[in-house]
Amino acid sequence: MVQCWGCARMPRFFMGSALPCSSLSRHATLAQQRRLDSCRTLAQADDAAKDPSDSQSRANALTGTIKRKQKQMADLLQDLGMETLEDRLQSATASPAVPSHRFAQLIQDSIPYGKPVLVAEVCRPSPSSSSQDVAKLAADYVAWGVDAIAVATDLEETPAGLSDLFAVCRAVKVPVLQWDWFLHPLQVAEAKEAGAAGIIGVIANVLGNGSPIMSSFAAAIGLDAPVEVVNKTEVTRLGDAGVPFFGINLSVGLSLALPGFQTDMAKGLLNSMPFGAITLVGAKSCADARKARLAGADAILLKKEMLVGNSQDAKDVRQMLEQLIYSLSGDD
């Protein structure tokens, strides 16, 4: 069972914000079940879906992934022990990232120019690839015009996620985000230790009331942590809790095989954001990226399906990025 945040002794400023002493795994399981029911309803309501079982399989995959991640965290926390865990978290809060909130600042600096910040996802191209291969890929994307990098570090993508993250952080001069499934503040501290400017993978539908806590902890150590939302209720609740950064269609929720669903929902969520909130929207194609920009996204995550799926040829990927950057610049 995963150690819950309320049970762990947190840095003094953090006390009182943690979840009650019920396990994080129970919160995640209930949220997963709600999402399973939601996905079933959506799939059944639209006869145009490509595969009626697609939503069910995606929800099952999410459930399995979260359970696997919970087991990993439970094992890690048990190995560390309470005293070491507290030391790691205290150390993270004692030395905030310098400069802090680099990714959010980059977005704020870009807004007056009407240009969304582009974030490219990188992961190991093949099972035989190394951390240096990931770093080389990230450096290429930066040279071709992207503004930031998101490194996939989950075990499904790489056997050495933190090593990949560390290598990329030292290979590029732009903000680097760790993309994983975040269930505990220790993971955020690890991202900071590796040199990341922020994280992707704080999901409101999974963490529930723990989402603002994770966002606050990341902010306290100088990292940006967009909280992924799938409906307006979550936007309102998180906005009332002071969450400043939101993610849409990054890992879960809007990745459904329903024609038009992603675009319509993303636009509706963007229009419901609290005043001053920053948004990061995921895109699997150039068309998705352009629609996200027109809907008002401040930053766009270019997913690996878009970059790797476009072509294995580096020249083609470069040309695609150049054309996309041009099409997203200025007023359309």
Side-chain angles (χ1 to χ4, degrees):
M1 184 172 292
V2 174
Q3 171 70 49
C4 78
W5 302 344
C7 295
R9 291 179 296 165
M10 302 298 291
R12 184 177 300 175
F13 84 92
F14 210 57
M15 292 300 292
S17 299
L19 288 174
C21 292
S22 53
S23 73
L24 183 59
S25 59
R26 182 160 61 90
H27 285 275
T29 300
L30 291 173
Q32 292 156 19
Q33 187 59 52
R34 288 194 298 270
R35 184 173 185 278
L36 281 168
D37 295 340
S38 176
C39 287
R40 290 193 191 99
T41 301
L42 286 168
Q44 293 168 358
D46 198 314
D47 293 332
K50 295 179 181 178
D51 182 354
S53 65
D54 186 68
S55 292
Q56 178 69 66
S57 62
R58 288 175 185 269
N60 288 340
L62 173 65
T63 301
T65 297
I66 296 301
K67 286 183 178 179
R68 171 177 58 79
K69 204 68 182 182
Q70 287 175 336
K71 178 63 166 57
Q72 287 178 237
M73 285 307 304
D75 292 343
L76 176 59
L77 294 174
Q78 183 174 1
D79 290 342
L80 282 178
M82 189 67 69
E83 185 173 343
T84 302
L85 171 62
E86 182 175 358
D87 289 343
R88 291 280 296 276
L89 296 177
Q90 288 280 11
S91 176
T93 57
S95 56
V98 179
S100 62
H101 302 291
R102 291 176 57 206
F103 184 52
Q105 188 60 55
L106 175 63
I107 294 174
Q108 294 285 5
D109 292 343
S110 299
I111 289 176
Y113 299 97
K115 175 186 176 297
V117 168
L118 296 184
V119 185
E121 178 190 1
V122 297
C123 61
R124 296 199 177 197
S126 70
S128 61
S129 299
S130 67
S131 295
Q132 293 307 313
D133 293 327
V134 181
K136 174 61 168 59
L137 183 60
D140 285 343
Y141 288 156
V142 171
W144 299 339
V146 303
D147 305 296
I149 297 293
V151 184
T153 59
D154 185 64
L155 275 176
E156 291 185 353
E157 303 288 351
T158 172
L162 289 177
S163 295
D164 293 353
L165 179 63
F166 185 88
V168 172
C169 287
R170 277 141 192 82
V172 300
K173 301 301 182 182
V174 300
V176 176
L177 312 176
Q178 181 182 359
W179 191 355
D180 210 313
W181 305 89
F182 285 85
L183 302 179
H184 194 282
L186 176 62
Q187 296 170 277
V188 187
E190 289 179 331
K192 176 180 177 293
E193 291 166 357
I199 61 173
I200 297 175
V202 178
I203 304 170
N205 206 273
V206 172
L207 294 183
N209 292 334
S211 303
I213 300 170
M214 192 77 86
S215 174
S216 297
F217 182 78
I221 63 176
L223 270 60
D224 296 300
V227 178
E228 185 167 1
V229 294
V230 298
N231 56 56
K232 293 181 181 180
T233 299
E234 290 178 347
V235 172
T236 300
R237 175 173 57 82
L238 294 169
D240 290 344
V243 171
F245 204 155
F246 293 82
I248 300 172
N249 198 28
L250 303 178
S251 305
V252 299
L254 304 189
S255 298
L256 300 175
L258 302 178
F261 177 80
Q262 294 178 353
T263 301
D264 293 343
M265 282 297 294
K267 184 175 182 179
L269 289 175
L270 286 168
N271 289 336
S272 67
M273 289 294 158
F275 178 78
I278 301 173
T279 55
L280 172 65
V281 178
K284 291 184 178 180
S285 68
C286 289
D288 285 348
R290 285 189 285 268
K291 290 175 182 177
R293 190 260 173 181
L294 290 174
D298 298 314
I300 300 172
L301 175 67
L302 308 179
K303 297 186 179 181
K304 63 181 180 180
E305 293 90 343
M306 175 179 177
L307 299 170
V308 178
N310 177 72
S311 174
Q312 294 294 342
D313 186 275
K315 181 179 178 181
D316 290 342
V317 177
R318 179 175 184 174
Q319 290 178 344
M320 182 268 291
L321 286 173
E322 290 175 346
Q323 292 171 0
L324 177 62
I325 292 169
Y326 178 79
S327 70
L328 295 177
S329 300
D331 296 325
D332 295 325

